[in-house]
Amino acid sequence: MSVFKAKNIGLPLMNLLRFEGLSILKQLHLEEQLLRTSSDNWCIINDGTNAPAIVLGLSGKPSELLEIGPVLQDRVPVIRRFTGGGTVIVDPGTIFVTFICNRDDVSSVQPYPRSIMSWSGLLYDKVFEGIGNFQLRENDYVFGDHKFGGNAQSITRKRWIHHTSFLWDFESRNMAYLKLPRKAPDYRLARGHLDFVCRMKDYMGRSEFVDKTAKQLAGISC
Amino acid sequence: MASRLWASRAASYLRISVFNRGFASVVKDLKYADSHEWVKVEGKSAVVGITDHAQDHLGDVVYVELPEVGASVTQGGSFGAVESVKATSDINSPVSGKVVEVNEELSNSPGLVNASPYENGWIIKVEMENADELNSLMDSDQYSKFCEEEDAKH
């Protein structure tokens, strides 16, 4: 575990946990526990989960969001997380980055979704500086108009969590487990999954992304 | 200008204060927590919801996680959650007591929290165990000022 303080972009003192291949269920358990029972700030980077899994937001309905038949037939685990947002299928090609903060330690950020996303967007602006026309678009991280990172939050009285799953790589056939969501961002323009998302590996190396993100926490310019 | 004058007269009639900055409303005669919940006292019962300021900042509410009737709530403790734009946000009780009713309408129409935060978007009713707790809450003027200060910081 490393402890960093980033001087730029208003990052508080933060404990950094780095994992490789931690199961997404264990990661979510850990995150919820740290959010609810710790008073420290945390950044968790999980470089790939160990096996494919579908993760729904708090209110996600499997019958509306998933192709139930293939999911059952292929015995893909389906997990409901404690944060909001949409449905993702994660696998060893997914990189997870999570921030858990005391709201008073990041006083420039209002504890509401847009404010939190703007804050994290600033950090990733630096990670992806000069690469692929990166931006926070509506609520997604995109290169141009292709999504490669989805995020979600949970906000408590004194703390909040913002976690992101980045598609460094993915199996195209896994997207077939997901239906087109009823609610989609405007910029999606009714595109199917494979036309809507892109792979981060086409823009940046895997360890380069993880290292650059960790360096941002330490306030070291990349 | 005319519509602004009409709005302020209507607000006065309805006992609603309207912010000069932004358009979040505050209702007089309610009490408010610093986590942006309101409470309306009806004898020993308290009706609880989230404020216009909160719903405005959260965005479209797509789901409300309600407690069970009979559950205990503690002042400042969370009893449920609202989901909006990628986020779940705890709802905290302004008073301690027992949940005697929940707004089942929110299961089918979570958007009531946005459309009518102080009326049809109410969330729970609580049988209070200690009415003195209300003294630690803000009145409408204090809450208005609190929101203005909070928004000004960001």
Side-chain angles (χ1 to χ4, degrees), chain A residues 36 59 107 151 153-155, chain B residues 34 57 83 86 88 90 154:
Chain A
R36 297 268 174 202
S59 65
S107 55
N151 64 75
Q153 295 93 38
S154 185
I155 302 164
Chain B
D34 62 5
H57 280 66
E83 184 184 349
K86 306 268 185 176
T88 56
D90 278 0
H154 301 100

Side-chain angles (χ1 to χ4, degrees), chain B residues 38-75:
Chain B
W38 58 264
V39 58
K40 180 177 175 182
V41 179
E42 294 172 341
K44 278 193 168 172
S45 285
V47 185
V48 175
I50 68 168
T51 67
D52 189 34
H53 179 274
Q55 71 77 21
D56 184 53
H57 280 66
L58 286 171
D60 290 343
V61 173
V62 299
Y63 176 72
V64 181
E65 189 176 64
L66 295 165
E68 301 273 331
V69 171
S72 293
V73 293
T74 310
Q75 187 179 45

Side-chain angles (χ1 to χ4, degrees), chain B residues 15 22 76 80 86 93 127 139 149:
Chain B
R15 301 168 67 80
K86 306 268 185 176
S93 184
E127 188 180 278
D139 64 25
E149 286 169 0

Side-chain angles (χ1 to χ4, degrees), chain A residues 164-177:
Chain A
T164 305
S165 56
F166 288 101
L167 298 174
W168 189 77
D169 194 6
F170 60 84
E171 297 274 353
S172 299
R173 59 191 159 93
N174 285 348
M175 294 294 165
Y177 293 122

Side-chain angles (χ1 to χ4, degrees), chain A residues 36 58-59 82-85 107-110 112-114 117 139-140 147 150-157 183, chain B residues 34-36 53-54 57-58 60 62-63 65 76 78 81 83-90 92 150-151 153-154:
Chain A
R36 297 268 174 202
L58 180 74
S59 65
F82 61 99
T83 55
S107 55
S108 62
V109 176
Q110 276 207 338
Y112 295 109
R114 293 297 311 173
M117 277 187 271
N139 304 308
D140 298 332
K147 176 179 176 177
N151 64 75
Q153 295 93 38
S154 185
I155 302 164
T156 71
R157 198 186 159 93
K183 258 188 106 113
Chain B
D34 62 5
S35 47
H36 302 285
H53 179 274
H57 280 66
L58 286 171
D60 290 343
V62 299
Y63 176 72
E65 189 176 64
S78 85
E83 184 184 349
S84 66
V85 189
K86 306 268 185 176
T88 56
S89 302
D90 278 0
N92 303 294
E150 215 178 57
D151 284 342
K153 274 192 246 174
H154 301 100

